[in-house]
Structure formats: structure tokens, C-alpha cells
């Protein structure tokens, strides 16, 4: 039935192109898009937590470094950051700064995610009532103990929705890695278009795959939020 509906809008050649391009696109997703998203988000989250703690530490040097980092990343396009990491640093003549495309993409995406997510985490920490700090201090907890045992668990629940949105956004942003020759799904789509000359057909198929991935992640996000809010009074 699906094939009948599809063939009523597309020629047999178009259907063949869609079928033949699906596996290469899926390979790009499994080999690069998903690993790039997971690795970059994990590293970015570590950077985000560190940056957020620097911002609220009250130590001027640490807070200043964090502010400059966030300002630079948020004030420049991600595409420019990718080019600087991959092309720019490699032209400095230092061998250690010449990255493989996949590694360069991870560095750029991690730095970008870290800056944006740090503001989410910082806002989540600051949203916790001051009384929580005072209560944990009154029972003998140190600053770090209060942060680890009382504040961060509560801040995690608050930060899950925006961080989940950032993760979903990162899935789509990985398409920019095609500009530095990473063979993720969009790069695969470009290669297929170069041989089939059917840009609309192939790019719509790629868009559909992105949508399915993001839809499934949205469903997972909803379940995580529901689970984390099960003990919260509404």
C-alpha cells in the first residue's frame, strides 16, 4: 500500500533512487552522526558543568575565564568555529593541531555545546532556593558536599528539558560537519546527489531521517522528564 501511494507521486526511477540511497544515508547516521552527537554532547556536558561552576564560584579569575569562553562561543557562528578548528589551527604549522575531520568536528561541537549548556546549568543551579544551601550547611555539609548531594540533584531535574533540546539540536547541527569532509548523513546525501542529480528527492529523504531521529528523541525526553518529576508536587 505504501509503495502504491509512493509510486503515485514518484516515478519508478525516483523510487529506486530512494531505496538505493537509504542504506548509505543510514550508514552515515550510524557511523558518524550518532557517534559525533554522543561524544560531543558528553564532552560538552563536562565543559558545561565546569564552566557553570566557575561562573558561580565567586573567584574572579575563574569566573572571568568562563565568561570570556562563553562570550566567544555564543558570539560566533558554529560554522566559523568548525572552520577555525579544522582549517585555521592546522595552518599554524604545529603538527599536533592538525586534526582528522571527525576529531576536529568533535572539538568544535564540544566547545559549542559546553558554552551554551553551561548557561542552562548555571541558571538551573541558581534557581534552587537559597534555603537549600543554608539547610545543608546547618547539618555540617561543606560547600562541595552541599553542591553534590543537595543542589546538583535538584538542578538536574530543572535542566533536563533544555539540555534535551540542546541534544536534539546537536543531532541536526552535525550536518555542518559535512563542510569539513566528515562523512555523516548529510555528506552522504551530497555525494548521492552528485551522481543522481536529484537534490530535492535525496535531501527530503535525509530530512525525513533527521525528523524520525529527533521525534524518537523527543519521545524519550518526555519519558525522562515524567520519570524525574514523579515525586514532585504539582
Amino acid at each position: 500500500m505504501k509503495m502504491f501511494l509512493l509510486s503515485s507521486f514518484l516515478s519508478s526511477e525516483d523510487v529506486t533512487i530512494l531505496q538505493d540511497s537509504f542504506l548509505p544515508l543510514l550508514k552515515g547516521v550510524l557511523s558518524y552522526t550518532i557517534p559525533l552527537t554522543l561524544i560531543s554532547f558528553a564532552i560538552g556536558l563536562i565543559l558545561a558543568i565546569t564552566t557553570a561552576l566557575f561562573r558561580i564560584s565567586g573567584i574572579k579569575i575563574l569566573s572571568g575565564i568562563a565568561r570570556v569562553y562563553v562570550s566567544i562561543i555564543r558570539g560566533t557562528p558554529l560554522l566559523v568555529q568548525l572552520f577555525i578548528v579544522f582549517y585555521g589551527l592546522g595552518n599554524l604549522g604545529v603538527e599536533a593541531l592538525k586534526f582528522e575531520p571527525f576529531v576536529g568536528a568533535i572539538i568544535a561541537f564540544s566547545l559549542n555545546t559546553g558554552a551554551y549548556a553551561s548557561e542552562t546549568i548555571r541558571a538551573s543551579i541558581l534557581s534552587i532556593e537559597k534555603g537549600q544551601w543554608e539547610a545543608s550547611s546547618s547539618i555540617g555539609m561543606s560547600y562541595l558536599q552541599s553542591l553534590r548531594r543537595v543542589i546538583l540533584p535538584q538542578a538536574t531535574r530543572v535542566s533536563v528539558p533544555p539540555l534535551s533540546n540542546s541534544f536534539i539540536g546537536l543531532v541536526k547541527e552535525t550536518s555542518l560537519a559535512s563542510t569539513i569532509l566528515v562523512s555523516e548523513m548529510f555528506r552522504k546525501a551530497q555525494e548521492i546527489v552528485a551522481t543522481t542529480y536529484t537534490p530535492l528527492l535525496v535531501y527530503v529523504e535525509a530530512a525525513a531521517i533527521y525528523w524520525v531521529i529527533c521525534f524518537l528523541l523527543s519521545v524519550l525526553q518526555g519519558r525522562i522528564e515524567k520519570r524525574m518529576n514523579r515525586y514532585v508536587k504539582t
Side-chain angles (χ1 to χ4, degrees):
M1 182 66 178
K2 290 181 180 179
M3 291 301 298
F4 174 76
L5 292 174
L6 195 60
S7 61
S8 64
F9 293 100
L10 302 172
S11 66
S12 59
E13 183 181 353
D14 290 338
V15 174
T16 300
I17 291 173
L18 286 175
Q19 292 173 339
D20 291 344
S21 61
F22 179 74
L23 284 180
L25 293 178
L26 185 61
K27 183 180 178 181
V29 170
L30 298 177
S31 300
Y32 290 99
T33 300
I34 292 177
L36 183 57
T37 302
L38 293 174
I39 296 171
S40 298
F41 191 78
I43 297 173
L45 204 54
I46 295 171
L47 284 173
I49 294 171
T50 303
T51 304
L53 293 179
F54 279 6
R55 289 288 301 274
I56 67 174
S57 66
I59 302 173
K60 288 186 177 180
I61 295 178
L62 296 181
S63 178
I65 292 172
R67 284 177 182 273
V68 170
Y69 161 56
V70 172
S71 177
I72 291 173
I73 296 299
R74 294 178 70 188
T76 55
L78 175 55
L79 184 59
V80 174
Q81 295 164 21
L82 272 167
F83 275 41
I84 289 175
V85 170
F86 184 65
Y87 295 110
L89 296 182
N91 288 331
L92 294 178
V94 181
E95 194 66 29
L97 296 178
K98 294 180 180 179
F99 305 109
E100 292 293 323
F102 186 72
V103 175
I106 287 176
I107 293 172
F109 286 127
S110 298
L111 289 172
N112 188 273
T113 299
Y116 281 94
S118 70
E119 291 298 281
T120 297
I121 294 172
R122 183 174 70 91
S124 299
I125 293 174
L126 294 178
S127 71
I128 306 303
E129 295 180 3
K130 189 178 179 181
Q132 296 290 319
W133 289 98
E134 295 172 347
S136 56
S137 178
S138 67
I139 60 174
M141 287 189 183
S142 65
Y143 175 83
L144 290 178
Q145 288 176 326
S146 300
L147 187 66
R148 180 165 55 88
R149 297 181 182 180
V150 179
I151 305 302
L152 284 181
Q154 296 180 70
T156 299
R157 182 183 61 81
V158 177
S159 64
V160 162
L163 287 179
S164 298
N165 290 333
S166 297
F167 183 80
I168 293 172
L170 183 58
V171 172
K172 295 175 288 184
E173 288 170 352
T174 56
S175 61
L176 291 176
S178 63
T179 60
I180 60 170
L181 310 178
V182 176
S183 297
E184 45 72 58
M185 182 173 67
F186 189 67
R187 179 71 180 179
K188 291 290 186 183
Q190 291 176 315
E191 293 171 355
I192 295 169
V193 168
T195 58
T196 62
Y197 304 103
T198 54
L200 180 61
L201 194 66
V202 177
Y203 289 147
V204 166
E205 183 179 22
I209 295 174
Y210 276 120
W211 175 77
V212 169
I213 294 171
C214 292
F215 174 76
L216 293 175
L217 289 174
S218 298
V219 172
L220 179 61
Q221 173 188 347
R223 292 189 176 183
I224 292 174
E225 289 179 24
K226 185 177 180 180
R227 183 175 180 81
M228 296 194 74
N229 291 329
R230 65 189 186 281
Y231 298 124
V232 178
K233 273 182 121 181
T234 56

